[in-house]
Amino acid sequence: MTSLAPRAREGLVRTVVVIEDEQPIAHAVAARLRSEGYEVEIAADGPSGVALCDRVRPDLVVLDLMLPGLDGLEVCRHIQRDRAVPVLMLTARDGESDLLVGLAVGADDYMTKPFSMRELIARVHALLRRAERSADGPAKPVVRIGGVELDATTRRVRIDGDLVHLTPIEFDLVHYLAGRPGRVSTREELLAQVWGYDVPSGARTVDSHIRTIRRKLGSSIVRTVHGVGYAIEEAQPCT
Ligand code: CA
């Protein structure tokens, strides 16, 4: 059973771009997304995928990692250059390196082939709900963690004044932890609150995002509480 696509009830149609060179997969994914009420466009290689995203400005991109022309990592960099569009990456192998590299360039989630359409739809819904929740949310304060400043209104992050690029999910993860200074959040809580769902591979997904956040913002920004979860110790709202 799947829930209604986010905003379907409000009559707003969301657009998803599927960039995948394996036609049967691309068409199956597109057909399932259309049956859920999404507008879907397909591209079969990297360069045409980038061009398609420039043209239709999708609400979400389902992106195959291994593509002719430009691979999924390059495509991800291009389409997120000027705008934080959620990306669900499809990988052929369950390799840790694929996972880490994919997440480091800005994919918000990934799935290993073969995957179930039901799971794909659940993740698409969750990514869109999260993106829309952050876009619709009331203006929230700027939060400072040491030299790092998070502005939840513009979703910009600065270290000592210099802009740093975080993916949408990295931003939400830091912002969630910073909103509860000193409190330890379990991986399950983070999956439920930040991603919006729980999956068997979930703990690994949280860990790899935390690693990327530490690489971008400094290793001391998030504390690991072994066997429990993660915490940000000191965070001050600033006006
Ligand atoms: Ca492929």
Side-chain angles (χ1 to χ4, degrees), residues 6 19 123 154 212:
I19 309 176
R123 293 184 185 214
T154 60
T212 312

Side-chain angles (χ1 to χ4, degrees), residues 72-110:
L73 305 181
E74 288 293 330
V75 172
C76 205
R77 265 192 283 271
H78 276 86
I79 62 182
Q80 292 203 321
R81 203 162 36 197
D82 56 339
R83 184 170 89 90
V85 56
V87 172
L88 173 57
M89 189 84 89
L90 305 179
T91 70
R93 297 179 304 279
D94 194 11
E96 178 92 313
S97 57
D98 283 357
L99 169 66
L100 294 179
V101 177
L103 296 173
V105 297
D108 289 293
D109 198 1
Y110 79 102

Side-chain angles (χ1 to χ4, degrees), residues 20-22 64-68 113:
E20 164 66 86
D21 58 317
E22 288 174 72
D64 185 30
L65 180 62
M66 305 302 279
L67 284 168
K113 296 175 188 173

